[in-house]
Amino acid sequence: MPVRKPHRSFVVPLTAFAGVVALVTAAAATTALALQTAPAPTPKPTPTQTPAPTPTPAQVEQRETELTLKDGQKVTGVLVSQDAANVVLNIQGVRTTFAMNQVARLTDLPTIAERYQRFHANTPDEDVEGLLKLARWLHERKRYDLALIEVGRALKAEPDHPGANQLKIVLDEQLKLEGLTPAPAQPKEPRVRPLAPRDAMDDFPLLSDEQINLIRVFEVDLKDPPRMIIPRAAVEQFMTKYAGQLVQGRGQVPTTPEGREQFLRQKPAEILAWFFDLRAREFYERVEVQENPRGMRQFIDDVHRTWLINACSTTKCHGGEEAGRLFLYTRKPNNARSAYTNFLILDRFRTTEGGGLIDYAEPGRSPLLHMGLPRNKALFKHPEVGGLGRVWKPTFDSEDDPKFRAAVSWIQSMYENRSGYPIEYTPPVPGPLQTAPGDRNPKLADPSADPSKDAPKPTPPPQPR
């Protein structure tokens, strides 16, 4: 876009200027005489009407300009002035000068209201972090009324969200300082997306508390165990069933009363290690893991609520009717049932080539992560997407992106030698695929029920759980 030039000044000859002044003076005199002689109109009664509100800074918008520097950096602000040497932008109340020889282009942006309409429509009601990001964007541009709408949507999804409640207090106080008060009725919200994806979420099958606990047991890191309880009765039954069996590196399951009492005095994690060594799976469900193991804690904190829900599980991606075979739950990203259900879906999903999304042997090569990279940097490229309003954007800038590195760390923290969870769960499919039985994932009770079991897999360590 060519650089805009300032308006040129021009000089009016003195004689011509005098003539113009004479004409304007005569016209003004004629108008004044007409006003004195014309009868005043008789006022007609009108119905009571509330006066139109005085325009506020939030209503009188200044169009923003995007400045792109030659190094690729982009800056947004209100254009103050521009000449051959410099361009000045007002960036959040601060006048900032840029040398024109460093500027690649200037682009007039749509108005805040126009961009808000688009951002609002593309941010689902359950995307709390996305709603708060939009509210902060509006707050920076002094659109406190619209920011409150987005905070309200966030609080409807998560009423106790501390960030949303704090931002609401700030916005309310800002409105008071500006002499503005919220309208009695909430402003009409822009039209939002159809309800079909949200209806699909209503019927989305989630894991039970018992199934979540079983995954936690499998993912316990014995070097950094979470809090857990193993009932005394379960330990006694274990000793009775496996009495006398030898466990390499641990010894023999006790058979004497003294030995049994000593065994019972062990910490829960030490007893669980015996369960693992003997693969006594019938006792796994008797273990109550009271908090997330380290691996699942990292998944929830660094993956699920950080980018998986916001970038991959929106209603226009893997959380909506156009999700394809990989269909994820989009609500309550901090909830255990939501997080563990989506994790199990990712863990069991197989690509059309038969491979998994998560490479536990080489986490940095996981298709789940590479499909979030720009296509020119990815080992496994995200498929092309189509359809109205569907635009795929990379989740990570590169493998050095902090979110990418955190995701690699998460996979590394999971138990590597995986034998599958003995959990029966049928992954759902969105409406458009329900008429195509071949696309529906089969019910997976354990790895032997997985149709991709013959797909190439890395050689596991010798002792699966």
Side-chain angles (χ1 to χ4, degrees):
M1 178 178 178
V3 176
R4 292 172 289 184
K5 296 180 179 180
H7 297 295
R8 293 181 179 177
S9 60
F10 57 91
V11 180
V12 180
L14 183 59
T15 55
F17 181 78
V20 172
V21 171
L23 288 173
V24 172
T25 304
T30 304
T31 303
L33 180 60
L35 289 174
Q36 291 174 359
T37 57
T42 303
K44 297 180 180 180
T46 57
T48 304
Q49 185 176 9
T50 304
T54 302
T56 65
Q59 294 167 319
V60 181
E61 292 186 1
Q62 293 177 300
R63 188 180 292 270
E64 291 185 314
T65 297
E66 182 182 77
L67 179 147
T68 303
L69 297 173
K70 291 181 179 179
D71 63 3
Q73 181 182 0
K74 294 183 178 181
V75 182
T76 302
V78 176
L79 182 65
V80 176
S81 64
Q82 176 190 357
D83 56 30
N86 299 301
V87 59
V88 180
L89 293 184
N90 187 326
I91 304 173
Q92 297 183 22
V94 179
R95 291 194 174 200
T96 308
T97 302
F98 300 89
M100 285 301 301
N101 60 7
Q102 298 298 319
V103 176
R105 63 179 177 274
L106 291 168
T107 306
D108 285 333
L109 297 175
T111 64
I112 294 173
E114 291 168 345
R115 282 182 284 166
Y116 168 63
Q117 292 278 341
R118 185 173 71 252
F119 296 156
H120 178 103
N122 290 329
T123 309
D125 292 339
E126 61 274 7
D127 183 3
V128 174
E129 296 305 320
L131 293 171
L132 293 180
K133 182 178 180 181
L134 175 55
R136 294 186 188 101
W137 180 82
L138 291 163
H139 178 231
E140 292 172 357
R141 287 155 178 79
K142 301 182 185 291
R143 290 308 307 261
Y144 310 124
D145 53 340
L146 299 179
L148 275 173
I149 290 177
E150 300 309 312
V151 171
R153 292 172 67 196
L155 288 172
K156 186 175 181 180
E158 289 192 37
D160 298 326
H161 193 287
N165 282 289
Q166 183 62 36
L167 184 55
K168 183 178 185 304
I169 294 172
V170 171
L171 291 169
D172 286 339
E173 292 301 318
Q174 192 67 53
L175 283 172
K176 292 177 183 178
L177 290 173
E178 297 287 334
L180 304 174
T181 55
Q186 201 175 43
K188 185 177 180 180
E189 294 188 34
R191 190 173 180 181
V192 296
R193 62 184 75 250
L195 294 178
R198 296 174 59 194
D199 292 341
M201 293 298 104
D202 292 336
D203 299 326
F204 203 105
L206 299 176
L207 295 180
S208 66
D209 292 341
E210 292 75 19
Q211 291 171 322
I212 291 172
N213 183 72
L214 192 55
I215 293 177
R216 285 174 171 169
V217 171
F218 273 86
E219 295 303 329
V220 166
D221 181 353
L222 293 173
K223 296 179 180 178
D224 181 21
R227 289 182 294 110
M228 69 181 83
I229 296 174
I230 304 179
R232 181 185 178 96
V235 181
E236 290 175 340
Q237 291 169 11
F238 167 81
M239 289 188 291
T240 299
K241 180 172 182 178
Y242 292 93
Q245 291 207 25
L246 289 172
V247 176
Q248 186 176 5
R250 298 193 186 278
Q252 185 182 48
V253 178
T255 57
T256 65
E258 296 80 7
R260 290 168 67 94
E261 281 300 321
Q262 186 176 357
F263 192 92
L264 286 167
R265 287 196 290 270
Q266 295 182 100
K267 295 179 180 179
E270 295 171 340
I271 295 174
L272 181 60
W274 286 82
F275 289 5
F276 286 155
D277 288 343
L278 290 172
R279 298 198 71 190
R281 287 192 169 193
E282 68 274 25
F283 290 98
Y284 289 5
E285 62 185 19
R286 306 285 295 277
V287 180
E288 181 186 343
V289 183
Q290 298 178 307
E291 59 186 0
N292 293 319
R294 182 167 62 95
M296 290 306 301
R297 187 169 63 247
Q298 286 188 233
F299 170 73
I300 295 172
D301 293 342
D302 298 336
V303 175
H304 192 257
R305 66 183 181 187
T306 303
W307 55 265
L308 185 69
I309 292 294
N310 296 339
C312 299
S313 301
T314 64
T315 52
K316 284 191 178 294
C317 196
H318 293 292
E321 292 294 287
E322 304 297 327
R325 293 190 305 116
L326 179 60
F327 193 27
L328 300 173
Y329 188 65
T330 64
R331 296 178 179 171
K332 300 180 180 179
N334 297 326
N335 182 272
R337 298 187 68 195
S338 170
Y340 277 80
T341 299
N342 283 338
F343 164 71
L344 186 66
I345 292 172
L346 295 174
D347 181 70
R348 290 182 171 177
F349 187 85
R350 294 297 179 264
T351 65
T352 53
E353 291 78 19
L357 286 179
I358 306 172
D359 190 335
Y360 292 98
E362 296 185 73
R365 296 176 59 88
S366 296
L368 174 66
L369 306 188
H370 276 266
M371 289 186 187
L373 287 169
R375 291 190 176 94
N376 63 340
K377 299 180 180 179
L379 295 175
F380 306 92
K381 296 174 174 55
H382 192 287
E384 297 288 343
V385 297
L388 183 63
R390 298 188 71 209
V391 179
W392 176 80
K393 294 182 180 179
T395 302
F396 316 111
D397 296 328
S398 67
E399 292 185 45
D400 292 326
D401 189 308
K403 296 194 297 290
F404 187 97
R405 294 201 303 267
V408 170
S409 175
W410 153 60
I411 299 174
Q412 290 172 338
S413 69
M414 300 293 283
Y415 189 69
E416 181 182 343
N417 185 19
R418 313 184 69 77
S419 55
Y421 308 111
I423 293 175
E424 185 175 308
Y425 177 77
T426 302
V429 294
L433 291 184
Q434 291 181 3
T435 57
D439 285 335
R440 187 172 180 83
N441 291 331
K443 181 178 291 188
L444 302 180
D446 55 53
S448 63
D450 187 345
S452 64
K453 59 183 174 64
D454 295 327
K457 295 182 177 62
T459 303
Q463 287 296 325
R465 288 179 175 173

